[in-house]
Each structure stands twice: as structure tokens, then as C-alpha cells.
Amino acid sequence: MSNPTVLINGAGIAGPSLAFWLNRAGYRVIVLELAPGIRPGGQTVDLRGTGRDVVERMGLLDQMRARALEQSGAAWVKSDGSRRAEMPVTAFGGNGLVSSLEILRGDLAAVLYEATRHDVDYRFGATITGLEQDENGVIATLANGTRLPVDLVVGADGPHSAVRRVAFGPEERFVRPLGGYHAWFSAPDTVGLDGWFLLYQAPGGLNASMRPSHDPAIAKAGLAFQAEPLDYDRHDIDEQRQMLVERFAGAGWHCDALLAAAADADDFYFDAFAQVHMSTWSAGRVTLVGDAGYCASPLSGMGTSLALVGAYVLAGELGPAEHLDTHRLSSALARYEEVMRPYVDRCQDLPRGVEGYAPMRESDIVITAAVMKWCQRWPFRSIAERKWFTTADSMALPDYR
Ligand SMILES: Cc1cc2nc3c(=O)[nH]c(=O)nc-3n(C[C@H](O)[C@H](O)[C@H](O)COP(=O)(O)OP(=O)(O)OC[C@H]3O[C@@H](n4cnc5c(N)ncnc54)[C@H](O)[C@@H]3O)c2cc1C
């Protein structure tokens, strides 16, 4: 009997990570990605705690270190650029808001792809549109009409997962809006960041930010705002740019320059701050990993770790590539959920949500900066450490060797 085949939809962070482990365990792995190639975008993501442990077990930590960004820390600035508060990269033992090992999301995706592309069957510009399953397997129908018989289908296709929609139901049942929106894109570094992640908060629930990239002339910019759920077309980028102009034009600091950059950026990305909550991540021979099943939102800072750890645990529980009969599969998927659920719950527990990131009132902006400054000092330091900066370490990685 040939080794079982696993079909993964989505080649972001969770998809290639899962492909890495399943290929090692002897499975035949096919990865579909809607985009024409690995998507390069995104800001810096931190590799800390359990997520970093997974990367180390993959043997990829040195490659990540080689691509790491030199960072100085985070600072909250006023409109004139003067600083309300700073949290240097050394705060909380290198485990603060900006951690000691930060890498661009696009670099992380590229390293994971490079580590798997020779052994895994990647198909770009492809997606799943239909699934039919029985106790012997699943037939996945792709957008081009191809029908693929496989043993297991995994949705690793992000918060707007197509696999989740087909196998579990419409997005509205699982995606919980958090009351705001965010955009990311590259912009000229008009500030001279010198390794600093700068955050400018303005009354009305606005947050503009700039972070370093590999190119000192280019910043990774963010514009985020508080709002009740808005009715807009997710595929209409010009409409999204206009939504930003309506809120950020004349808002101070470098907002106008950032709006001009957003208008031209070819890596512009816009979405709602939202979480995915599901009572179960598996339905028969279909399961979910990463943002598709348990997105914690960028506000958590834990999306990458959840994807890396989720992929490791799912592959570990599936075990070696032996026949995936219904009983073996369902108990592996149940254990995956049992191991991951408490970690997911902790990562999704956001102390202040969008209000903390983009406060409405000037007084709250002042308080946020004061909290960020004082939480690094005695006697608040240990309380802050326990409450905010230990989630990443809060899971002991099972050993599947
Ligand atoms: C371009 C981009 C930039 C990002 N930037 C940041 C950032 O700056 N900061 C941050 O905190 N998080 C960012 N994220 C989200 C972050 O990557 C995830 O929260 C986290 O890493 C979990 O990874 P994931 O693999 O589950 O989801 P994702 O990284 O979102 O990957 C999902 C993949 O599935 C693909 N996909 C989507 N729909 C389909 C479909 N129907 N069929 C096939 N493939 C599909 C997507 O193109 C994507 O490659 C970004 C995501 C993307 C895609």
C-alpha cells in the first residue's frame, strides 16, 4: 500500500511548516496556494518561546538568525516625533514588545518554502473548491476542475479559509471581529528609524506605525483604526486605500506620507482585526491549522507561533506515514486539539484588544504610553511579565521523536 497523501491548502507559514514535518514522517504532501508564488509581504514577526523551539527542532534557527533584523526597540511618539515612552529590545530579557529575534514574515515564509520545495508538490494559482469524503478518503475538487483523491485535507489558508467554508460553513459563524482594521505596506523611511519600531496613536482610534526592513531606506508601515464592522469589498484595494485616507489625512506625524506610500505600494494588505473561534477544528478527514482554525489576530503577536506549533503538533499526532484508517485519524485529530487548545486559548486572550492599540481618547493615549514606560520598572515589571510577556513560553512542546 502506498504512503498516505495529505493535501494542504495554503502556503503561508502553517502550510509549509506542516509539509516539512509530514514529508519527514514519510507522507506524500501536496500544497496548493492561491497566489502565483509564496507571498513575500508582511512586517517583522518575532520568533520566541515555543514557536522558536519548533524552528530549532526543524534545524532552521541559523537560517532565521542570518535573516534577522537588527532592532532597537519600540517607542510611542507624539505628532512632532518626540517620544512619550520607549521599550528597548533588551526589556524583559529580550522578550518584550520587540523581541531579541525578529524576522520579516516574508523571509520566514521563504525559508520554510526553501526547506520543503524539493520534496513537496507545490501547486501555485490553485485552490480547493469542493470536498467529498467517506471513510476511505477525501476527493478534493480544485478550481481548475481537477479531482484529487487524498487521505487527509488540511486548511492552512488563513483567516478567510476556503477549506473551513467548504467543510464547516460560512465565515460569519467562526470569525469574530475585534472592532478595527489594519493595513500593512512598504513605505519610504521618512523618519530615520535606526532600528526602532515607532507607534503614533491619535485620538479617534488611530494608530500609524513604522518598523525597519532590510533596506534602511524602506520602512514596514502600518495604519490601523478602530471601527464597528464596515461593509466593504475585500478584493477592492482602491476602496480600502480610500477608507484609510478618510481617517488618516491630516492626522499628524508622518500620516500623510504614509497615505501617499499606501497609494503606490504593491505589497498593500488590508484586513479586519479578527479572531477565529471554533468548537472543533476537524470534520472527518478535514482539519485546520494556523489562522484558518484559530487566528488570534495580529494584536496578539502570536499568529506565527500558533502556526508553527500547530503544524508541529498536528504532524506529531498523525505520526509515521502508515495507513490512515478512520479510527487512527480521528484519535490523532482529537489529540491535536487536546494539546493545542489551552495554548490557543491563552494566545487569543487579549488584555486590551484594539482599544489598547488604537485608543479613542487623548487621555488613553497618554495612559497607554505611561503603562508601557512604567511596566518595565520595579514593582510593576514582574506583574507585566507574567501578564503580557510569558504567553509565548507557556506551552511545553511534546517530543514526537
Ligand atoms: C501577505 C501576508 C502578510 C502578513 N503580514 C503580517 C504581519 O505583518 N504581521 C502579522 O502579525 N501577521 C501577518 N500576516 C498573518 C500571519 O502570517 C499569520 O497570522 C500567521 O503567520 C499564521 O500563518 P498561516 O499560515 O496560518 O496564515 P497566512 O500566513 O495568512 O497564510 C495563508 C496562506 O493561504 C493562502 N490562501 C488564502 N486563501 C487561499 C485559498 N482559497 N486557497 C489556497 N490558498 C489560499 C494565502 O495566500 C496565504 O499564503 C500576514 C499574512 C499574509 C498572507
Side-chain angles (χ1 to χ4, degrees):
M1 202 179 291
S2 64
N3 287 358
T5 303
V6 179
L7 176 64
I8 301 172
N9 204 46
I13 307 301
S17 304
L18 181 63
F20 177 95
W21 294 112
L22 289 180
N23 170 64
R24 276 198 159 186
Y27 291 83
R28 201 180 145 236
V29 186
I30 305 169
V31 181
L32 308 178
E33 166 59 50
L34 193 57
I38 295 292
R39 293 175 67 179
Q43 304 199 332
T44 37
V45 292
D46 46 44
L47 286 179
R48 62 173 109 193
T50 319
R52 181 182 173 134
D53 294 346
V54 172
V55 172
E56 192 164 15
R57 288 190 190 191
M58 291 171 123
L60 299 176
L61 201 52
D62 284 344
Q63 290 192 49
M64 301 298 176
R65 282 208 184 95
R67 293 177 188 228
L69 281 174
E70 279 295 315
Q71 306 244 48
S72 309
W76 288 259
V77 298
K78 295 182 186 170
S79 185
D80 64 6
S82 60
R83 296 191 176 191
R84 295 177 192 271
E86 285 182 358
M87 189 182 289
V89 70
T90 48
F92 300 99
N95 222 357
L97 192 69
V98 172
S99 77
S100 54
L101 182 55
E102 302 242 346
I103 172 168
L104 289 176
R105 181 203 166 276
D107 283 346
L108 175 60
V111 169
L112 293 170
Y113 174 60
E114 200 50 44
T116 48
R117 73 186 181 95
H118 297 295
D119 305 310
V120 168
D121 178 0
Y122 279 93
R123 301 184 191 179
F124 293 101
T127 185
I128 291 175
T129 53
L131 295 167
E132 295 154 47
Q133 56 171 315
D134 61 27
E135 59 188 37
N136 298 315
V138 199
I139 298 184
T141 305
L142 312 194
N144 66 3
T146 307
R147 283 165 64 81
L148 278 180
V150 298
D151 297 278
L152 173 67
V153 169
V154 184
D157 42 0
H160 305 289
S161 169
V163 170
R164 190 184 60 224
R165 191 172 56 249
V166 173
F168 296 85
E171 183 158 319
E172 307 76 70
R173 277 177 44 197
F174 309 109
V175 174
R176 238 182 247 174
L178 296 176
Y181 293 81
H182 57 89
W184 294 309
F185 48 92
S186 298
D189 177 1
T190 47
V191 183
L193 289 171
D194 193 24
W196 285 91
F197 170 23
L198 300 183
L199 298 112
Y200 167 64
Q201 298 170 322
L206 305 181
N207 182 313
S209 63
M210 291 168 87
R211 313 183 71 151
S213 73
H214 289 301
D215 179 348
I218 300 294
K220 294 284 179 180
L223 292 173
F225 60 89
Q226 266 198 61
E228 291 305 312
L230 299 168
D231 191 16
Y232 71 101
D233 179 353
R234 256 193 345 104
H235 304 287
D236 185 345
I237 289 177
D238 287 335
E239 183 187 0
Q240 295 156 20
R241 288 177 168 138
Q242 188 53 34
M243 286 158 70
L244 295 175
V245 171
E246 282 158 17
R247 288 163 178 87
F248 284 91
W253 194 53
H254 292 257
C255 289
D256 289 337
L258 291 180
L259 286 174
D264 290 336
D266 52 14
D267 60 351
F268 182 85
Y269 178 93
F270 183 94
D271 207 346
F273 284 121
Q275 291 190 336
V276 174
H277 290 264
M278 304 181 75
S279 57
T280 177
W281 303 319
S282 303
R285 289 181 173 271
V286 180
T287 192
L288 303 171
V289 66
D291 277 3
Y294 33 84
C295 176
S297 101
L299 293 170
S300 72
M302 295 303 298
T304 310
S305 288
L306 280 170
L308 290 164
V309 177
Y312 172 82
V313 172
L314 175 55
E317 295 298 344
L318 286 170
E322 289 154 11
H323 177 57
L324 275 181
D325 64 63
T326 315
H327 176 69
R328 190 166 95 80
L329 181 62
S330 65
S331 49
L333 296 179
R335 282 196 310 274
Y336 159 54
E337 215 155 308
E338 221 170 88
V339 175
M340 279 302 289
R341 184 70 72 174
Y343 185 56
V344 167
D345 289 347
R346 283 192 295 278
C347 293
Q348 290 189 323
D349 180 17
L350 302 180
R352 291 185 65 211
V354 182
E355 175 56 27
Y357 190 64
M360 271 293 172
R361 292 181 311 213
E362 174 68 21
S363 55
D364 290 331
I365 293 171
V366 173
I367 291 169
T368 300
V371 168
M372 290 303 147
K373 186 167 168 178
W374 287 100
C375 74
Q376 301 169 55
R377 303 183 188 175
W378 187 88
F380 307 110
R381 192 193 133 101
S382 58
I383 304 167
E385 200 157 29
R386 264 200 315 277
K387 195 158 174 52
W388 296 332
F389 301 119
T390 50
T391 312
D393 289 306
S394 67
M395 177 176 162
L397 214 49
D399 194 342
Y400 294 112
R401 276 168 292 182

